[in-house]
């Protein structure tokens, strides 16, 4: 899967987004020819290489033939996009971004989204930014977008509604639920258009994901905030890795030397049935040389209270020890395979270094078939493992 990672080192805006995608190899001519399908007039596109604090990138500009600042409603913009000859995927992407903007603006101004009139983002240049971004993403073949935490900046910004705090109210609304990071930079690092692009497209946030990088692009911002002002994008193939997952678990333990062993066996079964991940008994020599058993139950933290009460109720212990530990688990799945004896479920875990699989047939399935067919249990096990190996090889897993 081809993915795009937005490294918002110093923020994101519509012109930075398009500049970065063009810098990464998307042809300007392809973007321009499709933007012409919108039927907008009185503008031209300009790109050129420039530098910001010593770092080179692409600056993207929409130049107006004359002063032009139209106020368009969300319905006006929808009609323009839907009535164009753009590819359906491009239309859908652009409409999603504008709808995010409409909902945010409607929320902060107390009006229905369909009645929102865009000022800054309703101008031709911002329509070009959003639709152009949608075109460029399709041209690059991007299927999924990831994003870094967004820098907020501080201070004020001059808008059609007057002086507003940074982030602007609509931008702040768009950023709800997304990770942000404070930076000591005075200025609007994330614009409403940039925030809407992230809100509509980003499928995940965090550091650079596992990927095979094919292109890198730098889109330069229009302002100088005293730091390199660029949006960096990485385009490439996502690496489908499945590392061992880290999980927090609870370990419950108690020593018992005065209980019928038959009851201990019963308690072990009941703990497993109640959600314990594993339970085992370890023979121990307790004080005064008395033989006993160490009962250990492994469980998720949310199950520890329930299982602890079960141990108190079912055994003679007066105390249970508890500790938290980390465990690492290989990614696993269950498959059903057909053997000469019948159907067996097999648990399959993939080794991280691709050295092979770890396979474990379900004991109860194998036991049942061994009894039904009157064959050694080990034979059913071997047949199930071989059938699972053939199935995995057949499907290229």
């Amino acid at each position: 899967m081809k993915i795009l990672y937005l490294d918002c080192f110093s923020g994101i805006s519509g012109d930075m987004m398009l500049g970065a995608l063009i810098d990464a190899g998307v042809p300007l001519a392809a973007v321009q020819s499709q933007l012409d399908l919108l039927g907008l007039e009185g503008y031209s596109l300009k790109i050129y290489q420039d530098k910001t604090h010593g770092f080179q990138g692409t600056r993207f500009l929409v130049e107006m033939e004359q002063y032009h600042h139209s106020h368009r409603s969300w319905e006006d913009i929808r009609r323009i996009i839907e009535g164009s000859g753009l590819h359906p995927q491009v239309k859908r992407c652009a409409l999603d971004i504008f709808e995010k903007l409409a909902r945010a603006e409607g929320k902060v101004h107390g009006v229905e989204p369909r009645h929102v009139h865009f000022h800054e983002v309703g101008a031709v240049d911002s329509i070009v930014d959003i639709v152009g971004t949608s075109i460029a993403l399709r041209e690059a073949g991007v299927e999924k977008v990831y994003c870094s935490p967004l820098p907020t900046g501080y201070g004020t910004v001059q808008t059609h509604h007057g002086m507003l705090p940074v982030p602007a109210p609509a931008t702040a609304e768009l950023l709800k639920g997304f990770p942000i990071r404070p930076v000591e930079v005075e200025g609007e690092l994330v614009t409403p258009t940039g925030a809407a692009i992230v809100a509509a497209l980003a499928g995940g946030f965090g550091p650079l994901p596992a990927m095979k990088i094919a292109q890198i692009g730098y889109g330069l911002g229009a302002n100088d905030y005293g730091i390199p002002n660029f949006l960096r994008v990485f385009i490439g193939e996502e690496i489908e890795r499945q590392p061992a997952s880290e999980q927090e678990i609870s370990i419950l333990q108690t020593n018992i030397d005065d209980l019928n062993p038959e009851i201990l066996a019963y308690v072990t079964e009941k703990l497993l049935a109640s959600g314990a991940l594993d339970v085992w008994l370890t023979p121990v020599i307790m004080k005064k040389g008395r033989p006993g058993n160490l009962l250990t139950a492994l469980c998720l933290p949310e199950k520890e209270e329930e299982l602890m009460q079960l141990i108190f109720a079912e055994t003679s212990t007066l105390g249970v020890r508890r500790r938290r530990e980390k465990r690492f688990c290989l990614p696993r799945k269950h498959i059903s395979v057909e053997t000469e004896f019948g159907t067996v479920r097999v648990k399959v875990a993939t080794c991280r270094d691709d050295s092979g699989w770890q396979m474990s047939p379900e004991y109860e399935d194998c036991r049942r078939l061994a009894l039904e067919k009157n064959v050694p249990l080990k034979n059913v096990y071997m047949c199930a493992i071989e059938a699972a190996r053939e199935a995995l090889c057949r499907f290229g897993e």
Side-chain angles (χ1 to χ4, degrees), residues 34-113:
Q34 294 176 65
L35 282 172
D36 291 343
L37 300 175
L38 290 171
L40 299 176
E41 298 178 348
Y43 79 95
S44 61
L45 304 184
K46 180 180 180 182
I47 64 166
Y48 60 95
Q49 291 292 296
D50 201 357
K51 288 186 177 182
T52 172
H53 287 262
F55 292 91
Q56 183 167 297
T58 294
R59 202 174 291 280
F60 175 87
L61 297 174
V62 179
E63 294 187 333
M64 309 304 300
E65 294 179 3
Q66 56 184 359
Y67 180 79
H68 186 85
H69 187 83
S70 57
H71 296 175
R72 289 186 170 90
S73 71
W74 167 219
E75 291 298 322
D76 293 333
I77 295 171
R78 185 195 296 276
R79 281 194 293 270
I80 291 173
I81 295 173
E82 290 181 342
S84 71
L86 290 167
H87 189 278
Q89 179 183 332
V90 174
K91 289 183 181 181
R92 184 167 58 251
C93 179
L95 290 172
D96 285 347
I97 297 171
F98 265 113
E99 184 168 6
K100 291 287 186 183
L101 274 169
R103 292 186 179 279
E105 291 283 356
K107 177 72 179 294
V108 299
H109 294 296
V111 299
E112 290 291 325

Coordinates of all heavy atoms in Angstrom, one line a residue, residues 34-113:
Q34 N -6.2 19.5 -14.5 CA -7.4 19.0 -13.8 C -8.1 20.1 -13.1 O -9.3 20.2 -12.9 CB -7.1 17.8 -12.9 CG -6.7 16.6 -13.6 CD -6.3 15.5 -12.7 OE1 -7.1 14.9 -12.0 NE2 -5.0 15.1 -12.7
L35 N -7.3 21.1 -12.5 CA -7.9 22.3 -11.9 C -8.7 23.1 -12.9 O -9.7 23.7 -12.5 CB -6.8 23.1 -11.3 CG -6.2 22.7 -10.0 CD1 -5.1 23.5 -9.6 CD2 -7.3 22.7 -8.8
D36 N -8.3 23.0 -14.2 CA -9.1 23.8 -15.2 C -10.5 23.3 -15.3 O -11.4 24.0 -15.8 CB -8.4 23.6 -16.6 CG -7.0 24.4 -16.6 OD1 -6.8 25.3 -15.7 OD2 -6.2 24.1 -17.5
L37 N -10.8 22.0 -14.9 CA -12.1 21.5 -15.0 C -13.1 22.1 -14.0 O -14.3 22.0 -14.1 CB -12.1 20.0 -14.7 CG -11.2 19.1 -15.7 CD1 -11.1 17.7 -15.2 CD2 -11.8 19.2 -17.1
L38 N -12.5 22.9 -13.0 CA -13.4 23.6 -12.1 C -14.1 24.8 -12.7 O -15.1 25.3 -12.2 CB -12.6 24.1 -10.9 CG -12.1 23.0 -9.9 CD1 -11.2 23.6 -8.9 CD2 -13.3 22.4 -9.2
G39 N -13.5 25.3 -13.8 CA -14.0 26.5 -14.5 C -13.8 27.8 -13.8 O -14.4 28.8 -14.0
L40 N -12.8 27.8 -12.9 CA -12.4 29.1 -12.2 C -11.6 29.9 -13.1 O -10.8 29.4 -13.9 CB -11.7 28.8 -10.9 CG -12.4 27.9 -9.8 CD1 -11.5 27.6 -8.7 CD2 -13.6 28.7 -9.3
E41 N -11.7 31.2 -12.9 CA -11.0 32.1 -13.8 C -10.2 33.2 -13.0 O -10.4 33.3 -11.8 CB -11.9 32.9 -14.8 CG -12.7 31.9 -15.7 CD -13.6 32.7 -16.6 OE1 -13.9 33.9 -16.3 OE2 -14.1 32.1 -17.6
G42 N -9.3 33.8 -13.6 CA -8.6 35.0 -13.0 C -7.4 34.6 -12.1 O -7.0 35.4 -11.3
Y43 N -6.8 33.4 -12.3 CA -5.7 33.0 -11.5 C -4.7 32.2 -12.4 O -5.0 31.7 -13.4 CB -6.1 32.2 -10.3 CG -6.4 30.7 -10.7 CD1 -5.4 29.7 -10.5 CD2 -7.7 30.3 -11.2 CE1 -5.7 28.4 -10.9 CE2 -7.9 29.0 -11.6 CZ -6.9 28.1 -11.4 OH -7.2 26.8 -11.8
S44 N -3.5 32.1 -11.9 CA -2.5 31.3 -12.5 C -1.6 30.7 -11.4 O -1.6 31.2 -10.2 CB -1.6 32.1 -13.4 OG -0.9 33.1 -12.7
L45 N -1.0 29.5 -11.7 CA -0.2 28.9 -10.7 C 1.3 29.2 -10.9 O 1.7 29.3 -12.1 CB -0.4 27.3 -10.7 CG -1.8 26.9 -10.6 CD1 -1.9 25.3 -10.5 CD2 -2.4 27.4 -9.3
K46 N 2.0 29.3 -9.8 CA 3.5 29.5 -9.9 C 4.2 28.6 -8.9 O 3.8 28.6 -7.7 CB 3.8 31.0 -9.7 CG 5.3 31.3 -9.8 CD 5.5 32.8 -9.6 CE 7.0 33.1 -9.7 NZ 7.3 34.6 -9.4
I47 N 5.2 27.9 -9.3 CA 6.0 27.2 -8.4 C 7.5 27.5 -8.7 O 7.9 27.8 -9.8 CB 5.8 25.7 -8.5 CG1 6.2 25.1 -9.9 CG2 4.4 25.3 -8.2 CD1 6.4 23.6 -9.9
Y48 N 8.3 27.5 -7.6 CA 9.7 27.8 -7.8 C 10.5 27.3 -6.6 O 9.9 27.1 -5.5 CB 10.0 29.3 -8.1 CG 9.6 30.2 -7.0 CD1 10.5 30.6 -6.0 CD2 8.3 30.7 -6.9 CE1 10.2 31.4 -4.9 CE2 7.9 31.6 -5.9 CZ 8.9 31.9 -4.9 OH 8.5 32.8 -3.9
Q49 N 11.7 27.0 -6.8 CA 12.6 26.5 -5.7 C 13.1 27.7 -4.9 O 13.4 28.7 -5.4 CB 13.8 25.8 -6.3 CG 13.5 24.4 -7.0 CD 13.0 23.4 -5.9 OE1 13.8 23.0 -5.0 NE2 11.8 23.0 -6.0
D50 N 13.0 27.5 -3.6 CA 13.4 28.6 -2.7 C 14.0 28.0 -1.5 O 14.1 26.8 -1.4 CB 12.2 29.5 -2.3 CG 12.5 30.8 -1.9 OD1 13.7 31.1 -1.8 OD2 11.6 31.6 -1.6
K51 N 14.4 28.8 -0.6 CA 15.1 28.3 0.7 C 14.4 29.0 1.9 O 14.0 30.1 1.8 CB 16.6 28.6 0.7 CG 17.3 27.7 -0.3 CD 18.8 27.9 -0.1 CE 19.6 27.0 -1.1 NZ 21.1 27.1 -0.9
T52 N 14.4 28.2 3.0 CA 14.0 28.8 4.3 C 15.0 28.4 5.3 O 15.2 27.2 5.6 CB 12.6 28.2 4.7 OG1 12.3 28.6 6.0 CG2 12.5 26.7 4.6
H53 N 15.7 29.4 5.8 CA 16.8 29.2 6.8 C 17.8 28.1 6.3 O 18.2 27.2 7.1 CB 16.2 28.8 8.1 CG 15.6 30.0 8.8 ND1 16.2 30.8 9.8 CD2 14.3 30.5 8.6 CE1 15.4 31.7 10.2 NE2 14.2 31.6 9.5
G54 N 18.1 28.2 5.0 CA 19.2 27.3 4.5 C 18.7 26.0 3.9 O 19.5 25.2 3.4
F55 N 17.4 25.7 4.0 CA 16.8 24.4 3.5 C 16.0 24.7 2.2 O 15.1 25.6 2.2 CB 16.0 23.7 4.5 CG 16.8 23.2 5.7 CD1 17.0 24.0 6.8 CD2 17.4 22.0 5.7 CE1 17.8 23.6 7.9 CE2 18.2 21.5 6.7 CZ 18.3 22.3 7.8
Q56 N 16.2 23.9 1.2 CA 15.6 24.1 -0.1 C 14.3 23.3 -0.2 O 14.2 22.2 0.3 CB 16.5 23.8 -1.2 CG 15.9 24.0 -2.6 CD 17.0 23.9 -3.7 OE1 17.9 24.7 -3.7 NE2 16.8 22.9 -4.6
G57 N 13.3 23.9 -0.9 CA 12.1 23.2 -1.1 C 11.3 24.0 -2.2 O 11.8 24.9 -2.9
T58 N 10.0 23.6 -2.4 CA 9.2 24.2 -3.4 C 8.2 25.1 -2.8 O 7.5 24.8 -1.8 CB 8.4 23.1 -4.2 OG1 9.4 22.3 -4.9 CG2 7.5 23.7 -5.2
R59 N 8.1 26.3 -3.4 CA 7.1 27.3 -3.0 C 6.0 27.3 -4.0 O 6.2 27.4 -5.2 CB 7.7 28.6 -2.8 CG 7.0 29.6 -1.9 CD 7.7 30.9 -1.7 NE 8.9 30.8 -0.9 CZ 9.0 30.7 0.4 NH1 7.8 30.7 1.1 NH2 10.1 30.6 1.0
F60 N 4.8 27.1 -3.5 CA 3.6 27.1 -4.4 C 2.8 28.3 -4.2 O 2.4 28.7 -3.1 CB 2.8 25.8 -4.1 CG 1.5 25.7 -4.9 CD1 1.5 25.1 -6.1 CD2 0.3 26.2 -4.4 CE1 0.3 25.1 -6.9 CE2 -0.9 26.1 -5.1 CZ -0.9 25.6 -6.3
L61 N 2.4 29.0 -5.3 CA 1.7 30.2 -5.2 C 0.5 30.2 -6.2 O 0.6 29.7 -7.3 CB 2.6 31.5 -5.5 CG 3.7 31.7 -4.6 CD1 4.6 32.9 -5.1 CD2 3.2 32.0 -3.2
V62 N -0.6 30.8 -5.7 CA -1.7 31.1 -6.6 C -1.7 32.6 -6.9 O -1.9 33.4 -5.9 CB -3.1 30.6 -6.0 CG1 -4.2 30.9 -7.0 CG2 -3.0 29.1 -5.7
E63 N -1.5 33.0 -8.1 CA -1.4 34.4 -8.4 C -2.7 34.8 -9.1 O -3.2 34.2 -10.0 CB -0.2 34.7 -9.3 CG 1.1 34.4 -8.7 CD 2.3 34.9 -9.6 OE1 2.1 34.9 -10.8 OE2 3.4 35.2 -9.0
M64 N -3.3 35.9 -8.6 CA -4.5 36.4 -9.1 C -4.2 37.5 -10.1 O -3.3 38.3 -9.9 CB -5.4 37.0 -8.0 CG -5.6 36.1 -6.8 SD -6.3 34.5 -7.3 CE -7.9 35.0 -8.0
E65 N -5.0 37.5 -11.2 CA -4.8 38.5 -12.3 C -5.2 39.9 -11.8 O -4.7 40.9 -12.2 CB -5.6 38.1 -13.5 CG -5.1 36.9 -14.2 CD -5.9 36.5 -15.4 OE1 -6.9 37.2 -15.7 OE2 -5.6 35.4 -16.0
Q66 N -6.2 39.9 -10.8 CA -6.6 41.2 -10.2 C -7.0 40.9 -8.8 O -7.2 39.7 -8.4 CB -7.7 41.9 -11.0 CG -8.9 41.0 -11.2 CD -10.0 41.7 -12.0 OE1 -9.8 42.8 -12.5 NE2 -11.0 41.0 -12.3
Y67 N -7.3 41.9 -8.0 CA -7.7 41.6 -6.6 C -9.0 40.8 -6.6 O -10.0 41.2 -7.3 CB -7.9 42.9 -5.8 CG -8.4 42.7 -4.4 CD1 -7.5 42.3 -3.4 CD2 -9.7 42.8 -4.1 CE1 -7.9 42.1 -2.1 CE2 -10.2 42.6 -2.8 CZ -9.2 42.2 -1.8 OH -9.7 42.0 -0.6
H68 N -9.0 39.7 -6.0 CA -10.1 38.8 -6.1 C -10.3 38.1 -4.7 O -9.4 37.4 -4.3 CB -9.9 37.8 -7.2 CG -11.1 37.0 -7.5 ND1 -12.1 37.4 -8.3 CD2 -11.5 35.7 -7.0 CE1 -13.1 36.4 -8.3 NE2 -12.7 35.4 -7.5
H69 N -11.4 38.4 -4.0 CA -11.6 37.7 -2.7 C -13.1 37.5 -2.6 O -13.8 38.3 -2.0 CB -11.1 38.6 -1.6 CG -11.1 37.9 -0.3 ND1 -10.1 37.1 0.1 CD2 -12.0 37.9 0.7 CE1 -10.4 36.6 1.3 NE2 -11.6 37.1 1.7
S70 N -13.5 36.4 -3.2 CA -14.9 36.1 -3.2 C -15.3 35.4 -1.9 O -14.6 34.6 -1.4 CB -15.3 35.3 -4.4 OG -14.5 34.1 -4.4
H71 N -16.6 35.7 -1.5 CA -17.1 35.0 -0.3 C -18.1 34.0 -0.8 O -19.1 34.3 -1.4 CB -17.8 36.0 0.6 CG -16.9 37.0 1.2 ND1 -17.3 38.1 2.0 CD2 -15.5 37.1 1.1 CE1 -16.3 38.8 2.3 NE2 -15.2 38.2 1.8
R72 N -17.7 32.7 -0.7 CA -18.6 31.6 -1.2 C -19.1 30.8 0.0 O -18.4 30.5 0.9 CB -17.8 30.7 -2.1 CG -17.4 31.3 -3.5 CD -16.8 30.3 -4.4 NE -16.7 30.8 -5.8 CZ -15.6 31.5 -6.2 NH1 -14.6 31.7 -5.4 NH2 -15.6 31.9 -7.5
S73 N -20.3 30.3 -0.2 CA -20.9 29.5 0.8 C -20.5 28.0 0.6 O -20.0 27.7 -0.5 CB -22.4 29.6 0.8 OG -22.9 28.9 -0.4
W74 N -20.7 27.2 1.6 CA -20.4 25.8 1.4 C -21.2 25.2 0.3 O -20.7 24.4 -0.5 CB -20.7 25.1 2.7 CG -20.7 23.6 2.7 CD1 -21.6 22.8 3.4 CD2 -19.8 22.6 2.0 NE1 -21.3 21.4 3.2 CE2 -20.3 21.3 2.4 CE3 -18.8 22.8 1.2 CZ2 -19.6 20.2 1.8 CZ3 -18.2 21.7 0.6 CH2 -18.6 20.4 1.0
E75 N -22.4 25.6 0.1 CA -23.2 25.1 -1.0 C -22.7 25.6 -2.4 O -22.7 24.8 -3.3 CB -24.7 25.6 -0.9 CG -25.5 25.0 0.3 CD -25.6 23.4 0.1 OE1 -25.8 23.0 -1.0 OE2 -25.4 22.8 1.2
D76 N -22.2 26.8 -2.4 CA -21.5 27.3 -3.7 C -20.3 26.4 -4.1 O -20.2 26.0 -5.2 CB -21.1 28.7 -3.5 CG -22.2 29.7 -3.4 OD1 -23.3 29.4 -3.8 OD2 -22.0 30.7 -2.7
I77 N -19.5 26.1 -3.1 CA -18.3 25.3 -3.3 C -18.7 23.9 -3.7 O -18.1 23.3 -4.6 CB -17.4 25.4 -2.1 CG1 -16.9 26.8 -1.9 CG2 -16.2 24.4 -2.2 CD1 -16.1 27.0 -0.6
R78 N -19.7 23.4 -3.0 CA -20.1 22.0 -3.4 C -20.6 21.9 -4.8 O -20.2 21.0 -5.5 CB -21.2 21.6 -2.4 CG -21.7 20.1 -2.6 CD -23.0 19.9 -2.0 NE -22.9 20.0 -0.5 CZ -22.5 19.1 0.3 NH1 -22.2 17.9 -0.2 NH2 -22.5 19.3 1.6
R79 N -21.3 22.9 -5.3 CA -21.8 22.9 -6.6 C -20.7 23.0 -7.6 O -20.7 22.3 -8.7 CB -22.8 24.0 -6.9 CG -24.2 23.8 -6.3 CD -25.2 24.8 -6.8 NE -24.9 26.1 -6.3 CZ -25.5 26.6 -5.2 NH1 -26.3 25.8 -4.5 NH2 -25.2 27.8 -4.8
I80 N -19.7 23.8 -7.3 CA -18.6 24.0 -8.2 C -17.8 22.6 -8.4 O -17.5 22.2 -9.5 CB -17.6 25.0 -7.7 CG1 -18.2 26.4 -7.8 CG2 -16.2 25.0 -8.5 CD1 -17.4 27.5 -7.2
I81 N -17.6 22.0 -7.3 CA -16.8 20.7 -7.3 C -17.6 19.6 -7.9 O -17.2 18.9 -8.8 CB -16.3 20.3 -5.9 CG1 -15.3 21.4 -5.4 CG2 -15.7 18.9 -5.9 CD1 -15.0 21.2 -3.9
E82 N -18.9 19.4 -7.5 CA -19.7 18.4 -8.0 C -20.0 18.5 -9.5 O -20.2 17.6 -10.2 CB -21.0 18.3 -7.2 CG -20.8 17.7 -5.8 CD -22.1 17.6 -5.0 OE1 -23.1 18.3 -5.4 OE2 -22.1 16.9 -4.0
G83 N -20.1 19.8 -9.9 CA -20.5 20.0 -11.3 C -19.3 20.0 -12.3 O -19.4 20.1 -13.5
S84 N -18.1 19.7 -11.7 CA -16.9 19.7 -12.6 C -16.7 18.3 -13.2 O -17.4 17.4 -12.8 CB -15.6 20.0 -11.7 OG -15.4 19.0 -10.8
G85 N -15.7 18.2 -14.0 CA -15.4 16.9 -14.7 C -14.3 16.2 -13.9 O -13.6 15.3 -14.5
L86 N -14.0 16.5 -12.7 CA -13.0 15.9 -11.9 C -13.3 14.4 -11.7 O -14.5 14.0 -11.7 CB -12.8 16.6 -10.6 CG -12.1 18.0 -10.7 CD1 -12.3 18.7 -9.4 CD2 -10.7 17.9 -11.1
H87 N -12.3 13.6 -11.4 CA -12.4 12.2 -11.1 C -13.2 12.1 -9.8 O -13.0 12.9 -8.9 CB -11.1 11.6 -10.9 CG -11.1 10.1 -10.8 ND1 -11.4 9.4 -9.6 CD2 -11.0 9.1 -11.7 CE1 -11.4 8.1 -9.8 NE2 -11.1 7.9 -11.0
P88 N -14.1 11.1 -9.7 CA -14.9 11.0 -8.5 C -14.1 10.9 -7.2 O -14.5 11.4 -6.2 CB -15.7 9.7 -8.7 CG -15.8 9.6 -10.2 CD -14.5 10.2 -10.7
Q89 N -12.9 10.3 -7.3 CA -12.1 10.2 -6.1 C -11.6 11.6 -5.6 O -11.5 11.9 -4.5 CB -10.9 9.3 -6.4 CG -9.9 9.1 -5.2 CD -8.7 8.2 -5.6 OE1 -8.8 7.4 -6.4 NE2 -7.6 8.5 -4.9
V90 N -11.3 12.4 -6.6 CA -10.8 13.8 -6.3 C -11.9 14.6 -5.8 O -11.8 15.3 -4.8 CB -10.2 14.4 -7.6 CG1 -9.9 15.9 -7.3 CG2 -9.0 13.7 -8.1
K91 N -13.1 14.4 -6.3 CA -14.3 15.2 -5.8 C -14.6 14.8 -4.4 O -14.8 15.6 -3.5 CB -15.5 14.8 -6.7 CG -15.5 15.4 -8.1 CD -16.9 15.1 -8.7 CE -16.9 15.6 -10.2 NZ -18.2 15.3 -10.8
R92 N -14.6 13.5 -4.1 CA -14.9 13.0 -2.8 C -13.9 13.5 -1.7 O -14.2 14.0 -0.7 CB -14.9 11.5 -2.8 CG -15.3 10.9 -1.4 CD -15.6 9.4 -1.6 NE -14.5 8.7 -2.1 CZ -14.4 8.1 -3.4 NH1 -15.4 8.3 -4.2 NH2 -13.3 7.5 -3.7
C93 N -12.6 13.5 -2.1 CA -11.6 14.0 -1.2 C -11.7 15.5 -0.9 O -11.7 15.9 0.2 CB -10.2 13.7 -1.8 SG -8.8 14.2 -0.8
A94 N -11.9 16.3 -2.0 CA -12.0 17.7 -1.8 C -13.3 18.1 -1.0 O -13.3 19.0 -0.1 CB -12.1 18.4 -3.2
L95 N -14.4 17.4 -1.3 CA -15.6 17.7 -0.5 C -15.5 17.3 0.9 O -16.1 18.0 1.8 CB -16.8 16.9 -1.2 CG -17.2 17.4 -2.6 CD1 -18.3 16.4 -3.2 CD2 -17.8 18.8 -2.5
D96 N -14.8 16.2 1.2 CA -14.6 15.8 2.6 C -13.8 16.9 3.4 O -14.1 17.2 4.5 CB -13.8 14.5 2.7 CG -14.6 13.3 2.3 OD1 -15.9 13.4 2.3 OD2 -14.0 12.2 2.1
I97 N -12.8 17.5 2.7 CA -12.0 18.5 3.4 C -12.8 19.7 3.6 O -12.9 20.3 4.7 CB -10.8 18.9 2.5 CG1 -9.8 17.6 2.4 CG2 -10.0 20.0 3.1 CD1 -8.7 17.8 1.4
F98 N -13.6 20.2 2.6 CA -14.4 21.4 2.8 C -15.5 21.1 3.8 O -15.9 22.1 4.5 CB -15.0 21.8 1.4 CG -14.2 22.9 0.7 CD1 -13.5 22.6 -0.5 CD2 -14.1 24.1 1.3 CE1 -12.8 23.5 -1.1 CE2 -13.3 25.1 0.6 CZ -12.6 24.8 -0.5
E99 N -16.1 19.9 3.8 CA -17.1 19.7 4.8 C -16.6 19.8 6.2 O -17.3 20.3 7.1 CB -17.7 18.3 4.6 CG -18.9 18.0 5.5 CD -19.7 16.8 5.1 OE1 -19.3 16.1 4.2 OE2 -20.7 16.6 5.8
K100 N -15.4 19.3 6.4 CA -14.7 19.5 7.7 C -14.7 21.0 8.1 O -14.9 21.4 9.2 CB -13.3 18.9 7.7 CG -13.3 17.4 7.6 CD -13.7 16.7 8.9 CE -13.5 15.2 8.8 NZ -14.0 14.5 10.1
L101 N -14.3 21.8 7.1 CA -14.2 23.2 7.4 C -15.5 23.8 7.7 O -15.7 24.6 8.6 CB -13.6 23.9 6.1 CG -12.1 24.0 6.0 CD1 -11.7 24.4 4.6 CD2 -11.5 24.9 7.0
A102 N -16.6 23.4 6.9 CA -17.9 23.9 7.1 C -18.4 23.6 8.5 O -19.0 24.5 9.2 CB -18.8 23.4 6.0
R103 N -18.2 22.4 8.9 CA -18.7 22.0 10.3 C -18.0 22.7 11.4 O -18.6 23.2 12.4 CB -18.5 20.5 10.5 CG -19.5 19.7 9.6 CD -19.4 18.2 9.9 NE -20.3 17.4 9.0 CZ -21.6 17.3 9.3 NH1 -22.1 17.8 10.3 NH2 -22.3 16.6 8.5
A104 N -16.7 22.9 11.2 CA -15.9 23.7 12.2 C -16.3 25.1 12.3 O -16.5 25.7 13.3 CB -14.4 23.6 11.9
E105 N -16.4 25.8 11.1 CA -16.9 27.2 11.0 C -18.3 27.3 11.6 O -18.6 28.3 12.3 CB -16.8 27.7 9.6 CG -15.4 27.8 9.0 CD -14.7 29.1 9.5 OE1 -15.3 29.8 10.3 OE2 -13.5 29.2 9.2
G106 N -19.2 26.4 11.2 CA -20.5 26.4 11.7 C -20.6 26.3 13.2 O -21.4 27.0 13.9
K107 N -19.7 25.5 13.8 CA -19.7 25.3 15.2 C -19.3 26.6 16.0 O -19.9 27.0 16.9 CB -18.8 24.1 15.6 CG -18.6 23.8 17.0 CD -19.8 23.2 17.6 CE -19.6 22.9 19.1 NZ -18.6 21.9 19.3
V108 N -18.2 27.2 15.5 CA -17.7 28.4 16.2 C -18.5 29.6 16.0 O -18.5 30.5 16.8 CB -16.2 28.6 15.9 CG1 -15.3 27.4 16.2 CG2 -16.1 29.0 14.4
H109 N -19.3 29.6 14.9 CA -20.1 30.8 14.6 C -21.6 30.6 14.9 O -22.4 31.5 14.8 CB -20.0 31.3 13.1 CG -18.6 31.8 12.8 ND1 -18.0 32.9 13.4 CD2 -17.6 31.3 12.0 CE1 -16.8 33.1 12.9 NE2 -16.5 32.1 12.1
G110 N -22.0 29.4 15.3 CA -23.3 29.1 15.7 C -24.3 29.1 14.5 O -25.5 29.5 14.7
V111 N -23.9 28.5 13.4 CA -24.8 28.4 12.2 C -24.7 27.0 11.6 O -23.8 26.3 11.9 CB -24.4 29.5 11.1 CG1 -24.5 30.9 11.6 CG2 -23.0 29.2 10.6
E112 N -25.7 26.7 10.8 CA -25.7 25.4 10.2 C -24.6 25.4 9.1 O -24.3 26.4 8.5 CB -27.0 25.2 9.4 CG -28.2 24.9 10.4 CD -28.1 23.6 11.1 OE1 -27.6 22.6 10.5 OE2 -28.5 23.5 12.2
P113 N -23.9 24.2 9.0 CA -22.8 24.1 8.0 C -23.2 24.6 6.6 O -22.4 25.3 6.0 CB -22.4 22.6 8.1 CG -22.8 22.2 9.4 CD -24.1 23.0 9.8

